[in-house]
Amino acid sequence: MIYLAIVFLPLAGALIAGLLGRAIGDRPSEIVTTTFLMIAAVLAWIAFYQIGFTHETTRVPVMRWITSGELDASWSLRIDTLTAVMLVVVTTVSALVHLYSVGYMHEDEGRARFFSYLSLFTFAMLMLVTSDNLLQMFFGWEGVGLASYLLIGFWYRKPEANAAAIKAFIVNRVGDFGFALGIFGVFLVFNSVNLDSIFEAAKTLENTDFMFLGYEVDILNTLCLLLFMGAMGKSAQFLLHTWLPDAMEGPTPVSALIHAATMVTAGVFMVARLSPLFEHAHFAREVVLYVGTLTAFFAATVGLVQNDIKRVVAYSTCSQLGYMFAACGLGAYGVAIFHLFTHAFFKALLFLGSGSVIHAMHHEQDMRNMGGLAAKIRLTYFAMLIGTLSLTGVGIPHLIGFAGFHSKDGIIEAAFAGHTPYNGVFWVLTFSAFLTSFYSWRLMFMTFHGKTRAAPEVYKHAHESPMTMLIPLGVLALGAIAAGFVFSQYFIGHHYKEFWAASIYEGSHNHIVHDMHAIAEEWVYWAPFVAMLSGFGLSWMYYIGAPWLPEATARTFRPLYLFLLNKWYFDELYDWLFVKPTMALGRLLWKGGDGAVIDGTIDGTAASVQWTTGRVVKLQTGYVYHYAFAMLIGVAAILTFFLRSLIFSGGAGQ
């Protein structure tokens, strides 16, 4: 019963606020949805405690869903350790976002609709993480896509918000097409979409090929690559990442909910859930590894030069998701989920903290128009400081640190233990940690330190946020501090095996977690610490010590600066490759096909008929003698015809 309540309380809140919001009003809608999410979050922590010690897999039947021939997809909840972790992450962050939104959206007229969308989003994500078959997972997968479209475009009178919502929807359709093909392929190969049936049969198909267009193709690698394509879109990995920064056009609580704990982590969850498939698909795992590594580096480089405070945090999310996929590619699924867990706290903290800054600055988001805010909004400053310390991985190796220190450094250590060629993944992820530290402290220095660059009137009236916004910041700050060292022994430490035994599969060849704790080289543990410290020092020099350096560097390396400022020109490239050719094709079919051929044929036929009837109609004069004359002509013609026939027939008879 507890699991049903966790999943369906958000749906109940969404229906009440969505269907009855106008009748009961905005304030009751806020109270109902927020209360239901608070209850669900408490129940999720109870479930996490229970499952964390029993390590069992529980199934809760809901109802029969789809039965057609050999396809049997019943709706049931799969509860194991991985699910319990995700339930805690989703419900906790969502409950805090609901509470935060009460203060942040207090001036908005459509609050009932907004809270309905938030709860609907949460329900769809809970459906995804509790799925016991791939069709149920796809239902939740598409549900969060729909809800994110509604939330990103919530301010529908704002053209930028509508464009961002459409962009997110379309880019995710590209990834979801691959995900759908993967599900079709899984059913074709395994004759089932139920996870247990798939997992039991997966090991028997390792290194098994099938013929495609005359080529032998590995079955499991093909299926896993198609499924990972869906993860690339949902989790904004390299090439399918372009929607994520534009999603900042939605309200800030939406950014926290989408980018911290829910939709963007769905891809990481899916790969971890399908670990029995990926463990036997070695090439696919390598693709996951290198795509994740490239994403971590790419997003970190772009984050260096962004000026919108929310976009900096968004690219940070993209980069951290890259770390998680790199861990999955290495086979360290538990380490990836640990970073997902800690990331939910400190990234939600940074997003909601950014929203508090924007609230104080009367909706100003450009960091170039900020500065000196630490004294004005001290509680927000300390919350953002804790989030930054956690994101950059501040801590002492082998001892203690903030949440991000335990999880992100664990991924970097796993990268070294993974023995990639020339330790390339290790060095790229370490360098990305340096970049992360630089742009994170750049955000702090530009926003809170130095002389203010804000308009005098705006700075004068800058004020701290209400308690409904500050309480979620305080709770998330505790998670950003303590979630790492409290849970590290279970997620990646001594209790790793029994903690993940029932939910994550590791092949006999996979010893990555053991190896990352048995690294002999002490410098490996200190490399991320040095990278973090170097990034902080360089950022301080640029934005506090010598504030003229950023402009001078941008001027000296202008091509590189513009390359990063324009996000590696991916939007322009996609516009040239896909958007403009599609529009040209549409214009050709419109003007040439529809206009010239279809309309031309119809219009030409109509004109011919009109010309003919116009002349025939002139015969209808209305005068009796005209009709009599026409009848005489007809009679004469008929007589002529018969006489001619008789003459010729008579001649033929002779």
Side-chain angles (χ1 to χ4, degrees):
M1 191 65 185
I2 183 175
Y3 306 117
L4 292 174
I6 294 170
V7 173
F8 288 104
L9 276 174
L11 177 62
L15 292 175
I16 292 171
L19 300 178
L20 304 177
R22 290 188 178 182
I24 65 177
D26 291 333
R27 178 59 69 183
S29 297
E30 294 173 345
I31 293 173
V32 168
T33 53
T34 305
T35 301
F36 283 3
L37 256 298
M38 292 290 183
I39 296 171
V42 172
L43 295 177
W45 278 99
I46 295 173
F48 176 69
Y49 179 81
Q50 292 175 345
I51 296 295
F53 283 96
T54 60
H55 315 298
E56 295 178 353
T57 299
T58 303
R59 285 172 184 79
V60 181
V62 178
M63 65 178 184
R64 290 185 63 188
W65 189 28
I66 298 176
T67 304
S68 177
E70 296 178 343
L71 176 62
D72 182 14
S74 296
W75 192 354
S76 61
L77 309 182
R78 182 189 183 96
I79 309 296
D80 56 18
T81 306
L82 180 58
T83 305
V85 170
M86 295 303 297
L87 290 178
V88 164
V89 167
V90 173
T91 57
T92 301
V93 174
S94 183
L96 294 173
V97 166
H98 274 70
L99 178 60
Y100 180 93
S101 300
V102 172
Y104 190 86
M105 302 291 290
H106 72 281
E107 296 179 349
D108 201 284
E109 296 178 355
R111 299 199 302 279
R113 179 167 59 92
F114 180 77
F115 278 83
S116 175
Y117 291 167
L118 284 182
S119 292
L120 178 64
F121 186 101
T122 307
F123 165 71
M125 190 66 193
L126 293 173
M127 282 299 305
L128 192 159
V129 301
T130 58
S131 56
D132 195 33
N133 60 72
L134 290 178
L135 277 184
Q136 188 178 332
M137 185 182 293
F138 192 72
F139 173 83
W141 196 272
E142 294 303 305
V144 294
L146 168 64
S148 68
Y149 170 79
L150 297 173
L151 286 167
I152 295 169
F154 176 75
W155 287 324
Y156 56 87
R157 292 186 178 91
K158 184 179 177 184
E160 296 84 358
N162 288 327
I166 293 171
K167 185 176 184 179
F169 200 77
I170 291 174
V171 173
N172 274 276
R173 295 292 70 71
V174 176
D176 293 355
F177 177 69
F179 190 33
L181 288 179
I183 295 174
F184 298 155
V186 166
F187 181 70
L188 180 66
V189 171
F190 297 101
N191 209 30
S192 175
V193 293
N194 295 310
L195 295 181
D196 284 340
S197 300
I198 297 168
F199 296 162
E200 289 174 7
K203 54 181 174 290
T204 63
L205 291 177
E206 186 172 2
N207 299 321
T208 304
D209 298 335
F210 72 100
M211 295 300 297
F212 181 73
L213 299 178
Y215 295 93
E216 289 188 351
V217 183
D218 187 90
I219 292 176
L220 289 183
N221 279 313
T222 303
L223 294 177
C224 287
L225 287 174
L226 288 171
L227 295 169
F228 178 60
M229 186 176 173
M232 289 177 64
K234 198 66 72 183
S235 297
Q237 291 302 281
F238 190 72
L239 300 180
L240 293 180
H241 65 276
T242 53
W243 68 270
L244 187 69
D246 290 353
M248 296 300 100
E249 296 296 340
T252 298
V254 173
S255 304
L257 191 61
I258 292 177
H259 302 110
T262 51
M263 192 174 92
V264 293
T265 61
V268 181
F269 164 80
M270 184 262 283
V271 173
R273 170 62 80 206
L274 300 181
S275 56
L277 287 179
F278 281 87
E279 277 294 277
H280 299 291
H282 305 292
F283 176 74
R285 257 182 50 194
E286 286 190 2
V287 172
V288 174
L289 169 63
Y290 291 115
V291 168
T293 303
L294 182 57
T295 303
F297 171 74
F298 154 75
T301 62
V302 176
L304 296 173
V305 297
Q306 299 302 305
N307 296 310
D308 185 307
I309 187 171
K310 286 170 65 177
R311 284 181 182 268
V312 175
V313 185
Y315 275 107
S316 170
T317 297
C318 191
S319 182
Q320 298 308 304
L321 289 166
Y323 275 89
M324 299 176 205
F325 278 110
C328 288
L330 291 163
Y333 307 100
V335 185
I337 299 300
F338 187 34
H339 195 47
L340 183 157
F341 181 76
T342 62
H343 177 266
F345 291 103
F346 63 74
K347 190 52 60 70
L349 177 61
L350 288 171
F351 267 117
L352 297 184
S354 299
S356 186
V357 172
I358 295 168
H359 181 269
M361 294 295 291
H362 303 282
H363 306 291
E364 176 62 66
Q365 296 184 199
D366 195 326
M367 296 187 300
R368 293 171 296 185
N369 298 325
M370 298 181 186
L373 289 175
K376 287 279 189 177
I377 46 175
R378 191 163 295 279
L379 294 177
T380 297
Y381 168 69
F382 281 118
M384 291 284 285
L385 179 62
I386 291 171
T388 301
L389 292 170
S390 187
L391 169 61
T392 56
V394 174
I396 302 174
H398 306 302
L399 289 177
I400 197 170
F402 288 83
F405 162 78
H406 292 275
S407 57
K408 187 173 73 173
D409 285 23
I411 293 175
I412 295 175
E413 292 159 15
F416 185 86
H419 303 296
T420 56
Y422 306 103
N423 281 323
V425 171
F426 167 79
W427 288 113
V428 171
L429 294 182
T430 303
F431 184 65
S432 299
F434 162 75
L435 299 178
T436 300
S437 181
F438 179 87
Y439 69 67
S440 298
W441 289 109
R442 172 180 178 264
L443 182 152
M444 292 297 295
F445 294 144
M446 289 184 69
T447 304
F448 295 103
H449 294 274
K451 294 181 179 180
T452 185
R453 298 173 298 280
E457 195 66 21
V458 173
Y459 184 75
K460 179 182 177 181
H461 291 94
H463 58 281
E464 190 60 91
S465 300
M467 290 304 295
T468 51
M469 295 172 64
L470 292 177
I471 290 174
L473 293 182
V475 175
L476 291 169
L478 290 176
I481 293 170
F485 66 82
V486 169
F487 294 103
S488 61
Q489 291 302 313
Y490 297 96
F491 280 83
I492 62 173
H494 297 304
H495 303 290
Y496 172 86
K497 286 288 186 184
E498 55 266 33
F499 186 74
W500 294 115
S503 56
I504 289 179
Y505 173 79
E506 293 180 344
S508 57
H509 58 282
N510 189 340
H511 307 290
I512 187 70
V513 177
H514 172 270
D515 293 344
M516 63 180 272
H517 292 302
I519 297 172
E521 295 86 343
E522 183 66 20
W523 64 268
V524 173
Y525 299 103
W526 288 90
F529 177 85
V530 173
M532 173 272 299
L533 207 57
S534 301
F536 167 79
L538 187 63
S539 186
W540 183 91
M541 183 176 70
Y542 262 68
Y543 295 97
I544 301 296
W548 52 269
L549 269 175
E551 184 179 351
T553 304
R555 188 170 54 251
T556 304
F557 301 98
R558 187 161 182 77
L560 177 61
Y561 172 75
L562 292 176
F563 180 70
L564 298 180
L565 186 66
N566 289 283
K567 301 156 286 188
W568 291 26
Y569 291 104
F570 269 104
D571 285 326
E572 291 78 3
L573 177 63
Y574 287 172
D575 186 61
W576 179 74
L577 280 177
F578 303 114
V579 178
K580 287 183 178 177
T582 302
M583 292 182 68
L585 177 62
R587 195 176 296 110
L588 174 65
L589 295 175
W590 169 37
K591 295 289 188 181
D594 188 49
V597 177
I598 298 175
D599 288 350
T601 302
I602 295 174
D603 292 347
T605 304
S608 175
V609 172
Q610 184 181 12
W611 182 87
T612 304
T613 55
R615 280 146 183 79
V616 171
V617 164
K618 290 181 179 180
L619 298 175
Q620 305 292 328
T621 63
Y623 296 110
V624 175
Y625 63 86
H626 282 176
Y627 299 148
F629 180 69
M631 291 173 65
L632 287 174
I633 294 175
V635 171
I638 293 171
L639 289 174
T640 303
F641 174 77
F642 279 110
L643 289 172
R644 186 174 180 276
S645 299
L646 288 172
I647 293 170
F648 280 101
S649 61
Q654 293 177 352

